Amino acid sequence: QQQVKQSPQSLIVQKGGISIINCAYENTAFDYFPWYQQFPGKGPALLIAIRPDVSEKKEGRFTISFNKSAKQFSLHIMDSQPGDSATYFCAASKAASGSRLTFGEGTQLTVNP
Amino acid sequence: GAVVSQHPSWVICKSGTSVKIECRSLDFQATTMFWYRQFPKQSLMLMATSNEGSKATYEQGVEKDKFLINHASLTLSTLTVTSAHPEDSSFYICSARNRGPNYGYTFGSGTRLTVV
């Protein structure tokens, strides 16, 4: 019940295209769903996060879509740029103090010029 | 925004020596700090969870005597790799969770440890 499944494992898009990464979770106690961007040799950086009281959140070119009944959430990157090439991780956590983040397996995104 | 400072960013040490990695939350008090290990092209693997003033909780398979974690204050946690061996070479990352209902997790920049 602690798993978060992420797909695809790798993704190649053309500059200007839309990148879509999907995640599914099992534990209905999860109440925080962040996406992290990680460049080689760096720690993950928070990109955008959503809580289950809303179905969509948009920040610039990045949008999270959240489907509570299906227990799925996705990251959409509009107008993808070569600088977006990185590894993206979805994650989920519970509100209880000290709860850990449960990570997806990661998606290696490559945006071709 | 929340900032977590992790030092050093890279370290090379000889087999048998110990290495300490520091993780500081700069502008918030972290109720809990986490230590991860990451292998190339893999997700983050949680090693241990630490709460200020209490003993760390280690994940199954992680040697608590090899990876010593100290969480002395609400802003500082340290990971000491004792008697390091080449197989301990890896990328280590800390994370801190802030307090409150709008909690979140902030990650350090990571430490590349190479044991020679």
Side-chain angles (χ1 to χ4, degrees), chain B residues 66-100:
Chain B
K66 167 169 273 297
F67 299 101
L68 300 179
I69 291 172
N70 183 277
H71 194 159
S73 74
L74 283 171
T75 60
L76 174 64
S77 178
T78 59
L79 167 68
T80 301
V81 183
T82 63
S83 187
H85 288 95
E87 57 266 30
D88 299 324
S89 298
S90 192
F91 192 55
Y92 294 88
I93 311 170
C94 71
S95 173
R97 172 174 162 148
N98 60 295
R99 296 179 172 190

PDB file of all heavy atoms in Angstrom, chain B residues 66-100:
ATOM      1  N   LYS B  66      27.235   1.488  10.844  1.00  0.00           N
ATOM      2  CA  LYS B  66      28.064   2.035   9.766  1.00  0.00           C
ATOM      3  C   LYS B  66      27.616   3.443   9.402  1.00  0.00           C
ATOM      4  O   LYS B  66      28.417   4.294   9.109  1.00  0.00           O
ATOM      5  CB  LYS B  66      28.005   1.132   8.538  1.00  0.00           C
ATOM      6  CG  LYS B  66      28.578   1.787   7.284  1.00  0.00           C
ATOM      7  CD  LYS B  66      28.766   0.827   6.158  1.00  0.00           C
ATOM      8  CE  LYS B  66      30.107   0.149   6.250  1.00  0.00           C
ATOM      9  NZ  LYS B  66      31.250   1.020   6.140  1.00  0.00           N
ATOM     10  N   PHE B  67      26.331   3.651   9.392  1.00  0.00           N
ATOM     11  CA  PHE B  67      25.766   4.947   9.014  1.00  0.00           C
ATOM     12  C   PHE B  67      25.164   5.587  10.273  1.00  0.00           C
ATOM     13  O   PHE B  67      24.001   5.366  10.605  1.00  0.00           O
ATOM     14  CB  PHE B  67      24.711   4.769   7.934  1.00  0.00           C
ATOM     15  CG  PHE B  67      25.244   4.162   6.668  1.00  0.00           C
ATOM     16  CD1 PHE B  67      25.050   2.808   6.391  1.00  0.00           C
ATOM     17  CD2 PHE B  67      25.954   4.925   5.755  1.00  0.00           C
ATOM     18  CE1 PHE B  67      25.542   2.238   5.221  1.00  0.00           C
ATOM     19  CE2 PHE B  67      26.453   4.367   4.585  1.00  0.00           C
ATOM     20  CZ  PHE B  67      26.249   3.025   4.317  1.00  0.00           C
ATOM     21  N   LEU B  68      25.989   6.398  10.937  1.00  0.00           N
ATOM     22  CA  LEU B  68      25.574   7.030  12.191  1.00  0.00           C
ATOM     23  C   LEU B  68      24.862   8.336  11.898  1.00  0.00           C
ATOM     24  O   LEU B  68      25.406   9.203  11.209  1.00  0.00           O
ATOM     25  CB  LEU B  68      26.785   7.283  13.090  1.00  0.00           C
ATOM     26  CG  LEU B  68      27.591   6.044  13.515  1.00  0.00           C
ATOM     27  CD1 LEU B  68      28.766   6.465  14.381  1.00  0.00           C
ATOM     28  CD2 LEU B  68      26.718   5.049  14.232  1.00  0.00           C
ATOM     29  N   ILE B  69      23.674   8.483  12.438  1.00  0.00           N
ATOM     30  CA  ILE B  69      22.897   9.692  12.215  1.00  0.00           C
ATOM     31  C   ILE B  69      22.671  10.395  13.538  1.00  0.00           C
ATOM     32  O   ILE B  69      22.255   9.780  14.517  1.00  0.00           O
ATOM     33  CB  ILE B  69      21.563   9.356  11.530  1.00  0.00           C
ATOM     34  CG1 ILE B  69      21.833   8.887  10.099  1.00  0.00           C
ATOM     35  CG2 ILE B  69      20.630  10.575  11.535  1.00  0.00           C
ATOM     36  CD1 ILE B  69      20.628   8.348   9.393  1.00  0.00           C
ATOM     37  N   ASN B  70      22.955  11.697  13.540  1.00  0.00           N
ATOM     38  CA  ASN B  70      22.736  12.528  14.710  1.00  0.00           C
ATOM     39  C   ASN B  70      21.855  13.701  14.318  1.00  0.00           C
ATOM     40  O   ASN B  70      22.107  14.370  13.310  1.00  0.00           O
ATOM     41  CB  ASN B  70      24.076  13.046  15.256  1.00  0.00           C
ATOM     42  CG  ASN B  70      23.888  13.852  16.526  1.00  0.00           C
ATOM     43  OD1 ASN B  70      23.573  15.034  16.482  1.00  0.00           O
ATOM     44  ND2 ASN B  70      24.073  13.212  17.653  1.00  0.00           N
ATOM     45  N   HIS B  71      20.815  13.931  15.085  1.00  0.00           N
ATOM     46  CA  HIS B  71      19.892  15.034  14.795  1.00  0.00           C
ATOM     47  C   HIS B  71      19.825  15.888  16.056  1.00  0.00           C
ATOM     48  O   HIS B  71      18.883  15.809  16.832  1.00  0.00           O
ATOM     49  CB  HIS B  71      18.526  14.455  14.438  1.00  0.00           C
ATOM     50  CG  HIS B  71      17.598  15.440  13.811  1.00  0.00           C
ATOM     51  ND1 HIS B  71      16.522  15.049  13.044  1.00  0.00           N
ATOM     52  CD2 HIS B  71      17.562  16.784  13.819  1.00  0.00           C
ATOM     53  CE1 HIS B  71      15.867  16.114  12.625  1.00  0.00           C
ATOM     54  NE2 HIS B  71      16.477  17.174  13.087  1.00  0.00           N
ATOM     55  N   ALA B  72      20.854  16.717  16.222  1.00  0.00           N
ATOM     56  CA  ALA B  72      21.048  17.431  17.491  1.00  0.00           C
ATOM     57  C   ALA B  72      20.102  18.602  17.686  1.00  0.00           C
ATOM     58  O   ALA B  72      19.843  19.019  18.808  1.00  0.00           O
ATOM     59  CB  ALA B  72      22.493  17.912  17.576  1.00  0.00           C
ATOM     60  N   SER B  73      19.605  19.168  16.585  1.00  0.00           N
ATOM     61  CA  SER B  73      18.727  20.329  16.712  1.00  0.00           C
ATOM     62  C   SER B  73      17.677  20.268  15.614  1.00  0.00           C
ATOM     63  O   SER B  73      17.718  19.391  14.747  1.00  0.00           O
ATOM     64  CB  SER B  73      19.528  21.624  16.595  1.00  0.00           C
ATOM     65  OG  SER B  73      19.919  21.844  15.256  1.00  0.00           O
ATOM     66  N   LEU B  74      16.763  21.222  15.659  1.00  0.00           N
ATOM     67  CA  LEU B  74      15.699  21.253  14.648  1.00  0.00           C
ATOM     68  C   LEU B  74      16.196  21.734  13.288  1.00  0.00           C
ATOM     69  O   LEU B  74      15.429  21.777  12.331  1.00  0.00           O
ATOM     70  CB  LEU B  74      14.555  22.137  15.123  1.00  0.00           C
ATOM     71  CG  LEU B  74      13.619  21.526  16.162  1.00  0.00           C
ATOM     72  CD1 LEU B  74      12.671  22.577  16.719  1.00  0.00           C
ATOM     73  CD2 LEU B  74      12.832  20.371  15.566  1.00  0.00           C
ATOM     74  N   THR B  75      17.464  22.094  13.220  1.00  0.00           N
ATOM     75  CA  THR B  75      17.992  22.583  11.947  1.00  0.00           C
ATOM     76  C   THR B  75      19.222  21.824  11.466  1.00  0.00           C
ATOM     77  O   THR B  75      19.756  22.135  10.404  1.00  0.00           O
ATOM     78  CB  THR B  75      18.351  24.075  12.045  1.00  0.00           C
ATOM     79  OG1 THR B  75      19.337  24.256  13.065  1.00  0.00           O
ATOM     80  CG2 THR B  75      17.126  24.923  12.358  1.00  0.00           C
ATOM     81  N   LEU B  76      19.684  20.841  12.212  1.00  0.00           N
ATOM     82  CA  LEU B  76      20.915  20.159  11.831  1.00  0.00           C
ATOM     83  C   LEU B  76      20.824  18.656  12.038  1.00  0.00           C
ATOM     84  O   LEU B  76      20.457  18.178  13.104  1.00  0.00           O
ATOM     85  CB  LEU B  76      22.093  20.703  12.643  1.00  0.00           C
ATOM     86  CG  LEU B  76      23.440  19.979  12.458  1.00  0.00           C
ATOM     87  CD1 LEU B  76      23.932  20.133  11.021  1.00  0.00           C
ATOM     88  CD2 LEU B  76      24.475  20.512  13.447  1.00  0.00           C
ATOM     89  N   SER B  77      21.177  17.927  10.985  1.00  0.00           N
ATOM     90  CA  SER B  77      21.338  16.481  11.081  1.00  0.00           C
ATOM     91  C   SER B  77      22.643  16.115  10.394  1.00  0.00           C
ATOM     92  O   SER B  77      23.027  16.750   9.409  1.00  0.00           O
ATOM     93  CB  SER B  77      20.169  15.755  10.403  1.00  0.00           C
ATOM     94  OG  SER B  77      20.342  14.342  10.456  1.00  0.00           O
ATOM     95  N   THR B  78      23.320  15.113  10.920  1.00  0.00           N
ATOM     96  CA  THR B  78      24.570  14.668  10.306  1.00  0.00           C
ATOM     97  C   THR B  78      24.526  13.168  10.063  1.00  0.00           C
ATOM     98  O   THR B  78      23.911  12.412  10.827  1.00  0.00           O
ATOM     99  CB  THR B  78      25.793  14.990  11.186  1.00  0.00           C
ATOM    100  OG1 THR B  78      25.649  14.342  12.450  1.00  0.00           O
ATOM    101  CG2 THR B  78      25.942  16.482  11.383  1.00  0.00           C
ATOM    102  N   LEU B  79      25.162  12.774   8.972  1.00  0.00           N
ATOM    103  CA  LEU B  79      25.333  11.362   8.635  1.00  0.00           C
ATOM    104  C   LEU B  79      26.827  11.087   8.617  1.00  0.00           C
ATOM    105  O   LEU B  79      27.566  11.762   7.894  1.00  0.00           O
ATOM    106  CB  LEU B  79      24.728  11.063   7.266  1.00  0.00           C
ATOM    107  CG  LEU B  79      25.088   9.707   6.631  1.00  0.00           C
ATOM    108  CD1 LEU B  79      24.472   8.568   7.429  1.00  0.00           C
ATOM    109  CD2 LEU B  79      24.617   9.645   5.180  1.00  0.00           C
ATOM    110  N   THR B  80      27.263  10.146   9.428  1.00  0.00           N
ATOM    111  CA  THR B  80      28.666   9.748   9.440  1.00  0.00           C
ATOM    112  C   THR B  80      28.787   8.338   8.888  1.00  0.00           C
ATOM    113  O   THR B  80      28.170   7.409   9.428  1.00  0.00           O
ATOM    114  CB  THR B  80      29.261   9.817  10.858  1.00  0.00           C
ATOM    115  OG1 THR B  80      29.139  11.149  11.369  1.00  0.00           O
ATOM    116  CG2 THR B  80      30.737   9.423  10.843  1.00  0.00           C
ATOM    117  N   VAL B  81      29.552   8.218   7.827  1.00  0.00           N
ATOM    118  CA  VAL B  81      29.842   6.900   7.262  1.00  0.00           C
ATOM    119  C   VAL B  81      31.123   6.417   7.927  1.00  0.00           C
ATOM    120  O   VAL B  81      32.196   7.006   7.721  1.00  0.00           O
ATOM    121  CB  VAL B  81      30.000   6.959   5.739  1.00  0.00           C
ATOM    122  CG1 VAL B  81      30.229   5.566   5.159  1.00  0.00           C
ATOM    123  CG2 VAL B  81      28.773   7.601   5.095  1.00  0.00           C
ATOM    124  N   THR B  82      31.030   5.407   8.754  1.00  0.00           N
ATOM    125  CA  THR B  82      32.185   4.939   9.516  1.00  0.00           C
ATOM    126  C   THR B  82      32.890   3.807   8.788  1.00  0.00           C
ATOM    127  O   THR B  82      32.253   3.020   8.081  1.00  0.00           O
ATOM    128  CB  THR B  82      31.761   4.453  10.906  1.00  0.00           C
ATOM    129  OG1 THR B  82      30.882   3.327  10.748  1.00  0.00           O
ATOM    130  CG2 THR B  82      31.021   5.549  11.666  1.00  0.00           C
ATOM    131  N   SER B  83      34.193   3.767   8.944  1.00  0.00           N
ATOM    132  CA  SER B  83      35.000   2.714   8.332  1.00  0.00           C
ATOM    133  C   SER B  83      34.557   2.470   6.892  1.00  0.00           C
ATOM    134  O   SER B  83      34.131   1.368   6.515  1.00  0.00           O
ATOM    135  CB  SER B  83      34.889   1.410   9.141  1.00  0.00           C
ATOM    136  OG  SER B  83      35.786   0.441   8.655  1.00  0.00           O
ATOM    137  N   ALA B  84      34.646   3.532   6.125  1.00  0.00           N
ATOM    138  CA  ALA B  84      34.123   3.492   4.763  1.00  0.00           C
ATOM    139  C   ALA B  84      34.882   2.491   3.885  1.00  0.00           C
ATOM    140  O   ALA B  84      36.095   2.308   4.025  1.00  0.00           O
ATOM    141  CB  ALA B  84      34.197   4.888   4.151  1.00  0.00           C
ATOM    142  N   HIS B  85      34.144   1.863   2.985  1.00  0.00           N
ATOM    143  CA  HIS B  85      34.713   0.939   2.011  1.00  0.00           C
ATOM    144  C   HIS B  85      34.252   1.357   0.621  1.00  0.00           C
ATOM    145  O   HIS B  85      33.264   2.100   0.481  1.00  0.00           O
ATOM    146  CB  HIS B  85      34.287  -0.489   2.329  1.00  0.00           C
ATOM    147  CG  HIS B  85      34.953  -1.044   3.541  1.00  0.00           C
ATOM    148  ND1 HIS B  85      34.378  -1.001   4.795  1.00  0.00           N
ATOM    149  CD2 HIS B  85      36.167  -1.634   3.711  1.00  0.00           C
ATOM    150  CE1 HIS B  85      35.194  -1.543   5.676  1.00  0.00           C
ATOM    151  NE2 HIS B  85      36.281  -1.931   5.051  1.00  0.00           N
ATOM    152  N   PRO B  86      34.933   0.892  -0.416  1.00  0.00           N
ATOM    153  CA  PRO B  86      34.552   1.303  -1.772  1.00  0.00           C
ATOM    154  C   PRO B  86      33.081   1.069  -2.093  1.00  0.00           C
ATOM    155  O   PRO B  86      32.486   1.863  -2.831  1.00  0.00           O
ATOM    156  CB  PRO B  86      35.466   0.442  -2.652  1.00  0.00           C
ATOM    157  CG  PRO B  86      36.698   0.269  -1.829  1.00  0.00           C
ATOM    158  CD  PRO B  86      36.201   0.132  -0.412  1.00  0.00           C
ATOM    159  N   GLU B  87      32.477   0.044  -1.528  1.00  0.00           N
ATOM    160  CA  GLU B  87      31.056  -0.201  -1.809  1.00  0.00           C
ATOM    161  C   GLU B  87      30.129   0.839  -1.185  1.00  0.00           C
ATOM    162  O   GLU B  87      28.932   0.871  -1.509  1.00  0.00           O
ATOM    163  CB  GLU B  87      30.638  -1.601  -1.343  1.00  0.00           C
ATOM    164  CG  GLU B  87      30.893  -1.889   0.118  1.00  0.00           C
ATOM    165  CD  GLU B  87      32.224  -2.573   0.357  1.00  0.00           C
ATOM    166  OE1 GLU B  87      33.173  -2.342  -0.428  1.00  0.00           O
ATOM    167  OE2 GLU B  87      32.316  -3.337   1.332  1.00  0.00           O
ATOM    168  N   ASP B  88      30.671   1.672  -0.305  1.00  0.00           N
ATOM    169  CA  ASP B  88      29.877   2.772   0.267  1.00  0.00           C
ATOM    170  C   ASP B  88      29.870   3.985  -0.656  1.00  0.00           C
ATOM    171  O   ASP B  88      29.129   4.954  -0.392  1.00  0.00           O
ATOM    172  CB  ASP B  88      30.433   3.183   1.635  1.00  0.00           C
ATOM    173  CG  ASP B  88      30.393   2.057   2.648  1.00  0.00           C
ATOM    174  OD1 ASP B  88      29.417   1.273   2.603  1.00  0.00           O
ATOM    175  OD2 ASP B  88      31.326   1.941   3.458  1.00  0.00           O
ATOM    176  N   SER B  89      30.675   3.944  -1.702  1.00  0.00           N
ATOM    177  CA  SER B  89      30.695   5.051  -2.659  1.00  0.00           C
ATOM    178  C   SER B  89      29.309   5.197  -3.270  1.00  0.00           C
ATOM    179  O   SER B  89      28.731   4.230  -3.780  1.00  0.00           O
ATOM    180  CB  SER B  89      31.723   4.781  -3.764  1.00  0.00           C
ATOM    181  OG  SER B  89      33.027   4.687  -3.226  1.00  0.00           O
ATOM    182  N   SER B  90      28.785   6.399  -3.207  1.00  0.00           N
ATOM    183  CA  SER B  90      27.421   6.623  -3.679  1.00  0.00           C
ATOM    184  C   SER B  90      27.098   8.104  -3.595  1.00  0.00           C
ATOM    185  O   SER B  90      27.928   8.931  -3.222  1.00  0.00           O
ATOM    186  CB  SER B  90      26.429   5.826  -2.818  1.00  0.00           C
ATOM    187  OG  SER B  90      25.143   5.793  -3.411  1.00  0.00           O
ATOM    188  N   PHE B  91      25.871   8.442  -3.965  1.00  0.00           N
ATOM    189  CA  PHE B  91      25.351   9.805  -3.848  1.00  0.00           C
ATOM    190  C   PHE B  91      24.387   9.813  -2.661  1.00  0.00           C
ATOM    191  O   PHE B  91      23.393   9.079  -2.667  1.00  0.00           O
ATOM    192  CB  PHE B  91      24.655  10.183  -5.157  1.00  0.00           C
ATOM    193  CG  PHE B  91      24.317  11.642  -5.291  1.00  0.00           C
ATOM    194  CD1 PHE B  91      25.297  12.616  -5.153  1.00  0.00           C
ATOM    195  CD2 PHE B  91      23.021  12.045  -5.581  1.00  0.00           C
ATOM    196  CE1 PHE B  91      24.997  13.969  -5.302  1.00  0.00           C
ATOM    197  CE2 PHE B  91      22.715  13.400  -5.721  1.00  0.00           C
ATOM    198  CZ  PHE B  91      23.698  14.353  -5.583  1.00  0.00           C
ATOM    199  N   TYR B  92      24.697  10.611  -1.660  1.00  0.00           N
ATOM    200  CA  TYR B  92      23.875  10.679  -0.458  1.00  0.00           C
ATOM    201  C   TYR B  92      23.131  12.019  -0.436  1.00  0.00           C
ATOM    202  O   TYR B  92      23.706  13.069  -0.678  1.00  0.00           O
ATOM    203  CB  TYR B  92      24.738  10.537   0.797  1.00  0.00           C
ATOM    204  CG  TYR B  92      25.374   9.169   0.922  1.00  0.00           C
ATOM    205  CD1 TYR B  92      26.611   8.896   0.330  1.00  0.00           C
ATOM    206  CD2 TYR B  92      24.729   8.143   1.599  1.00  0.00           C
ATOM    207  CE1 TYR B  92      27.192   7.636   0.420  1.00  0.00           C
ATOM    208  CE2 TYR B  92      25.294   6.881   1.699  1.00  0.00           C
ATOM    209  CZ  TYR B  92      26.519   6.641   1.105  1.00  0.00           C
ATOM    210  OH  TYR B  92      27.080   5.388   1.198  1.00  0.00           O
ATOM    211  N   ILE B  93      21.850  11.961  -0.134  1.00  0.00           N
ATOM    212  CA  ILE B  93      21.005  13.150  -0.155  1.00  0.00           C
ATOM    213  C   ILE B  93      20.206  13.223   1.135  1.00  0.00           C
ATOM    214  O   ILE B  93      19.663  12.211   1.583  1.00  0.00           O
ATOM    215  CB  ILE B  93      20.017  13.123  -1.349  1.00  0.00           C
ATOM    216  CG1 ILE B  93      20.739  12.798  -2.655  1.00  0.00           C
ATOM    217  CG2 ILE B  93      19.285  14.465  -1.472  1.00  0.00           C
ATOM    218  CD1 ILE B  93      19.790  12.522  -3.811  1.00  0.00           C
ATOM    219  N   CYS B  94      20.136  14.411   1.704  1.00  0.00           N
ATOM    220  CA  CYS B  94      19.291  14.605   2.880  1.00  0.00           C
ATOM    221  C   CYS B  94      18.037  15.379   2.484  1.00  0.00           C
ATOM    222  O   CYS B  94      17.990  16.046   1.449  1.00  0.00           O
ATOM    223  CB  CYS B  94      20.032  15.329   3.989  1.00  0.00           C
ATOM    224  SG  CYS B  94      20.359  17.069   3.638  1.00  0.00           S
ATOM    225  N   SER B  95      17.035  15.257   3.327  1.00  0.00           N
ATOM    226  CA  SER B  95      15.793  15.980   3.103  1.00  0.00           C
ATOM    227  C   SER B  95      15.225  16.372   4.457  1.00  0.00           C
ATOM    228  O   SER B  95      15.446  15.694   5.454  1.00  0.00           O
ATOM    229  CB  SER B  95      14.795  15.092   2.359  1.00  0.00           C
ATOM    230  OG  SER B  95      13.530  15.713   2.275  1.00  0.00           O
ATOM    231  N   ALA B  96      14.520  17.479   4.479  1.00  0.00           N
ATOM    232  CA  ALA B  96      13.909  17.941   5.716  1.00  0.00           C
ATOM    233  C   ALA B  96      12.442  18.230   5.485  1.00  0.00           C
ATOM    234  O   ALA B  96      12.061  18.779   4.444  1.00  0.00           O
ATOM    235  CB  ALA B  96      14.624  19.202   6.212  1.00  0.00           C
ATOM    236  N   ARG B  97      11.639  17.847   6.449  1.00  0.00           N
ATOM    237  CA  ARG B  97      10.199  18.109   6.390  1.00  0.00           C
ATOM    238  C   ARG B  97       9.884  19.236   7.366  1.00  0.00           C
ATOM    239  O   ARG B  97      10.268  19.197   8.532  1.00  0.00           O
ATOM    240  CB  ARG B  97       9.432  16.851   6.760  1.00  0.00           C
ATOM    241  CG  ARG B  97       7.927  17.068   6.928  1.00  0.00           C
ATOM    242  CD  ARG B  97       7.186  15.773   7.139  1.00  0.00           C
ATOM    243  NE  ARG B  97       5.862  16.018   7.713  1.00  0.00           N
ATOM    244  CZ  ARG B  97       4.784  15.277   7.480  1.00  0.00           C
ATOM    245  NH1 ARG B  97       4.873  14.241   6.678  1.00  0.00           N
ATOM    246  NH2 ARG B  97       3.637  15.559   8.054  1.00  0.00           N
ATOM    247  N   ASN B  98       9.188  20.257   6.889  1.00  0.00           N
ATOM    248  CA  ASN B  98       8.853  21.368   7.767  1.00  0.00           C
ATOM    249  C   ASN B  98       7.543  21.083   8.494  1.00  0.00           C
ATOM    250  O   ASN B  98       6.811  20.167   8.157  1.00  0.00           O
ATOM    251  CB  ASN B  98       8.752  22.673   6.975  1.00  0.00           C
ATOM    252  CG  ASN B  98       7.688  22.610   5.908  1.00  0.00           C
ATOM    253  OD1 ASN B  98       7.797  21.847   4.972  1.00  0.00           O
ATOM    254  ND2 ASN B  98       6.640  23.408   6.044  1.00  0.00           N
ATOM    255  N   ARG B  99       7.294  21.918   9.496  1.00  0.00           N
ATOM    256  CA  ARG B  99       6.129  21.704  10.356  1.00  0.00           C
ATOM    257  C   ARG B  99       4.860  22.252   9.737  1.00  0.00           C
ATOM    258  O   ARG B  99       4.902  23.020   8.786  1.00  0.00           O
ATOM    259  CB  ARG B  99       6.340  22.419  11.695  1.00  0.00           C
ATOM    260  CG  ARG B  99       7.479  21.900  12.514  1.00  0.00           C
ATOM    261  CD  ARG B  99       7.607  22.688  13.805  1.00  0.00           C
ATOM    262  NE  ARG B  99       8.573  22.089  14.706  1.00  0.00           N
ATOM    263  CZ  ARG B  99       8.742  22.456  15.968  1.00  0.00           C
ATOM    264  NH1 ARG B  99       8.007  23.411  16.471  1.00  0.00           N
ATOM    265  NH2 ARG B  99       9.641  21.872  16.724  1.00  0.00           N
ATOM    266  N   GLY B 100       3.730  21.877  10.327  1.00  0.00           N
ATOM    267  CA  GLY B 100       2.474  22.504   9.987  1.00  0.00           C
ATOM    268  C   GLY B 100       1.646  21.735   8.989  1.00  0.00           C
ATOM    269  O   GLY B 100       2.116  20.784   8.379  1.00  0.00           O
TER     270      GLY B 100
END
